[in-house]
Amino acid sequence: MTTAIAGDRADARRNRERVLAAAADAMADQGLDVPLGEIARRAGVGAGTVYRHFPSKQALLEAVFARHLEDLIASGERRAARYAPTEAFFGFLLDIVELSSRRGHICDVVTADTSWPRPVLTASRLRFRQVLAALLHAAQRAGGVRPDVDPEDVLALTAGCVSTLTARHDRPAGLKLVHLTLDGLRPCTPVTKARPFRDDPQAPCCAECGTGLTARPTGRPIRYCGPTCRQRAHRRRLAG
């Protein structure tokens, strides 16, 4: 009797895992609106088996997303234990991008605050953010990440990387763009500079090269940083 019960429970666990795996694949292929019947077909079980484990589509989606977050949490914890802080942080971000781009739609759930108010998913999302924040702060203390970014910045940047990788059919080319983007988090890569953009009307800059200019208190506004840029602009106007 006990053996039979244990066997039934093992079968139920296996069926649940099959449904979760099939649901993750189906959503990656067809989006969040994939029918439960399609998920059951991919899992090789009947629709009744799906409903026994997940009484609603919402419950199934929550379980799939929570599982994905738990996988990422485990990845972050492993990296924190095995690698130096900066290496662990950037490796974790690449794990997020690669896994999420394959499974699809997870970034909407990770970044949203109100779309999925289910307790299981809320707990997983909170733990994920804690792991991300811990890795970020450790890398910043080690001097490997610029100090002016916070976890929300990293989440937004990572979500953009997922979209970039998903949109590129050439995966190596997409990964190259992802690496270039994430390198902007390093202090040795000043992708932003303390000078005005040339289209900012409140901050004068050279109309030719973009170098910041000191505004004149009186007279006509200065347009160029020097004679070289002034002559270059003049030649361009003549050629046009």
Side-chain angles (χ1 to χ4, degrees):
M1 184 70 154
T2 303
T3 302
I5 293 174
D8 289 343
R9 289 175 177 171
D11 288 341
R13 285 194 297 270
R14 282 193 294 269
N15 284 338
R16 187 178 189 277
E17 292 300 316
R18 290 165 67 183
V19 171
L20 282 175
D25 290 341
M27 282 188 287
D29 292 340
Q30 302 182 26
L32 301 183
D33 294 329
V34 59
L36 285 177
E38 171 63 14
I39 293 173
R41 185 190 67 78
R42 291 188 181 219
V45 301
T49 299
V50 176
Y51 280 109
R52 276 197 298 274
H53 290 287
F54 308 102
S56 68
K57 177 73 170 291
Q58 202 86 339
L60 176 56
L61 294 178
E62 178 190 5
V64 170
F65 290 139
R67 170 63 61 84
H68 181 64
L69 289 176
E70 292 299 328
D71 289 345
L72 292 177
I73 290 166
S75 167
E77 292 175 339
R78 283 195 303 271
R79 288 188 176 279
R82 297 176 183 177
Y83 300 102
T86 301
E87 185 180 358
F89 172 70
F90 282 103
F92 182 52
L93 295 192
L94 289 174
D95 288 343
I96 295 172
V97 172
E98 294 216 50
L99 291 174
S100 299
S101 68
R102 292 190 180 101
R103 298 180 184 180
H105 307 286
I106 191 62
C107 287
D108 294 337
V109 178
V110 174
T111 56
D113 290 328
T114 58
S115 298
W116 293 81
R118 300 297 194 276
V120 173
L121 186 55
T122 298
S124 296
R125 191 176 64 217
L126 176 61
R127 180 61 184 144
F128 169 81
R129 286 171 175 264
Q130 290 172 339
V131 170
L132 174 66
L135 286 167
L136 169 62
H137 295 153
Q140 287 174 322
R141 289 193 297 271
V145 175
R146 52 192 298 169
D148 59 340
V149 297
D150 59 29
E152 294 302 319
D153 297 328
V154 175
L155 275 177
L157 190 68
T158 306
C161 288
V162 172
S163 298
T164 297
L165 189 56
T166 302
R168 294 299 296 262
H169 297 297
D170 184 349
R171 194 170 185 84
L175 284 172
K176 177 182 177 182
L177 293 177
V178 168
H179 281 270
L180 288 173
T181 302
L182 295 181
D183 277 345
L185 296 170
R186 300 180 187 273
C188 58
T189 309
V191 294
T192 56
K193 298 182 180 180
R195 75 177 194 182
F197 291 100
R198 70 171 62 189
D199 58 352
D200 182 356
Q202 303 302 320
C205 57
C206 178
E208 183 64 24
C209 69
T211 299
L213 303 174
T214 301
R216 291 174 176 172
T218 60
R220 296 177 59 185
I222 186 171
R223 294 192 60 195
Y224 304 103
C225 61
T228 300
C229 282
R230 185 180 301 107
Q231 292 171 5
R232 187 181 297 126
H234 179 64
R235 288 194 297 270
R236 183 177 292 106
R237 286 195 298 270
L238 292 178

